[in-house]
Amino acid sequence: MKITLLGTGDAVGTPTLGCDCSACMDALNGGRSKRSRFSILIEGEGAVLIDTSIDMRYQLLKAGVSHVDGVIWTHSHYDHYAGFGEFYRIHKKVNIYGTKEILDQILKTFYFMCYQRHDVTLYETFSLIGLEFMLFKVSHPPLDNAVGVRVRDGDKTLVITGDTAKNIPEKSLKIMSNADLLIADALAPTFGLKKHMNAVQALALGRELNAGRIVLTHLSHSFGPHDIAAKKWPLGYDEMSFEL
Ligand SMILES: [Zn+2]
Ligand SMILES: [Zn+2]
Ligand SMILES: [Zn+2]
């Protein structure tokens, strides 16, 4: 499978409106600190979007993708789903996947869209584009129904934490173990957060889960300019891609 980080920013993105910090300045000057909102493209025998970022239209234009075989939503925060409306009149009957609670919440916004709904049960596998997917519960208060995604292609495993704090349920940790690639939420380098991990916590999680490789995403401008921060932390950047 091919994995592309379409957007590696936090909810507000970098550059952040009204900010003149060094990361935002680098972003305005076209550097890798420029981060659109969270979305990941998975390609196998077709393409699946993990979340439809509010920046989805530009992300898909850059990626040269106009049709997807599925959309999987990790939770009902605006930065993760709002771009779905960009498929209006462009892409009819999009196959959407998620838990009942998450789909119920998000689809209230998209009453004007034409889609094919697929309710998914946590911890049960389902097949799409020749790959095996599974959703597992994470910890993203005050929501009690945010999920991460595991994707398997033969003996290769990708795990995406989605938005989560470090206290992930034990049952999910078992499913997340021994991934070849772990794409982990890390909103800031070190300071404490209730809804998200910081980079120190995400790296600790990667070690506990015996991940082959960890890449951090959902990054805020607090990391500073990308090229400097990436010497210290395994930061993702927009359009970074991997083959597993
Ligand atoms: Zn988010
Ligand atoms: Zn800034
Ligand atoms: Zn969130």
Side-chain angles (χ1 to χ4, degrees):
M1 70 179 124
K2 184 180 178 196
I3 303 130
T4 307
L5 306 181
L6 297 180
T8 56
D10 66 345
V12 296
T14 306
T16 300
L17 277 174
C19 184
D20 61 0
C21 79
S22 54
C24 289
M25 287 298 113
D26 178 52
L28 283 168
N29 290 323
R32 277 192 175 159
S33 305
K34 185 174 182 187
R35 301 186 189 283
S36 59
R37 269 62 69 82
F38 182 96
S39 187
I40 297 176
L41 181 69
I42 310 284
E43 291 171 280
E45 295 162 10
V48 165
L49 268 180
I50 310 293
D51 288 337
T52 51
S53 151
I54 193 165
D55 298 311
M56 186 186 86
R57 178 165 173 267
Y58 290 105
Q59 292 172 341
L60 293 183
L61 282 168
K62 270 196 212 161
V65 172
S66 59
H67 179 276
V68 293
D69 299 278
V71 161
I72 297 173
W73 280 314
T74 63
H75 66 299
S76 59
H77 278 159
Y78 187 71
D79 50 318
H80 291 256
Y81 74 79
F84 185 66
E86 301 283 11
F87 280 140
Y88 179 67
R89 283 177 43 207
I90 300 291
H91 187 343
K92 294 201 170 68
K93 294 209 173 156
V94 185
N95 287 297
I96 51 171
Y97 296 79
T99 63
K100 179 182 184 311
E101 296 78 13
I102 293 170
L103 294 187
D104 284 348
Q105 286 168 347
I106 294 175
L107 290 173
K108 278 185 206 152
T109 307
F110 297 113
Y111 60 88
F112 57 94
M113 298 286 290
C114 183
Y115 52 79
Q116 192 72 45
R117 173 175 174 154
H118 305 268
D119 289 40
V120 173
T121 305
L122 284 175
Y123 304 110
E124 286 185 7
T125 59
F126 58 102
S127 292
L128 255 175
I129 61 168
L131 306 174
E132 179 202 274
F133 289 79
M134 182 190 280
L135 307 184
F136 54 84
K137 192 171 164 66
V138 290
S139 172
H140 193 44
L143 296 179
D144 66 355
N145 54 12
V147 304
V149 185
R150 189 184 74 183
V151 191
R152 280 194 162 152
D153 185 1
D155 63 352
K156 295 293 180 191
T157 303
L158 162 71
V159 168
I160 300 164
T161 67
D163 283 14
T164 187
K166 178 82 168 27
N167 56 332
I168 295 167
E170 199 62 41
K171 186 174 181 181
S172 299
L173 292 174
K174 287 202 179 82
I175 282 153
M176 298 166 77
S177 293
N178 302 312
D180 296 282
L181 176 62
L182 175 68
I183 299 176
D185 173 8
L187 191 109
T190 52
F191 57 78
L193 303 148
K194 283 200 182 109
K195 297 184 188 183
H196 298 271
M197 292 185 283
N198 62 36
V200 174
Q201 292 171 321
L203 292 182
L205 179 72
R207 286 191 295 274
E208 287 158 30
L209 295 175
N210 192 35
R213 180 179 178 186
I214 182 168
V215 174
L216 307 181
T217 189
H218 210 285
L219 308 166
S220 70
H221 58 163
S222 64
F223 279 92
H226 176 88
D227 291 342
I228 298 168
K231 290 184 179 137
K232 184 166 183 192
W233 312 103
L235 302 186
Y237 53 86
D238 286 18
E239 299 175 72
M240 187 182 198
S241 68
F242 315 86
E243 288 278 354
L244 275 189

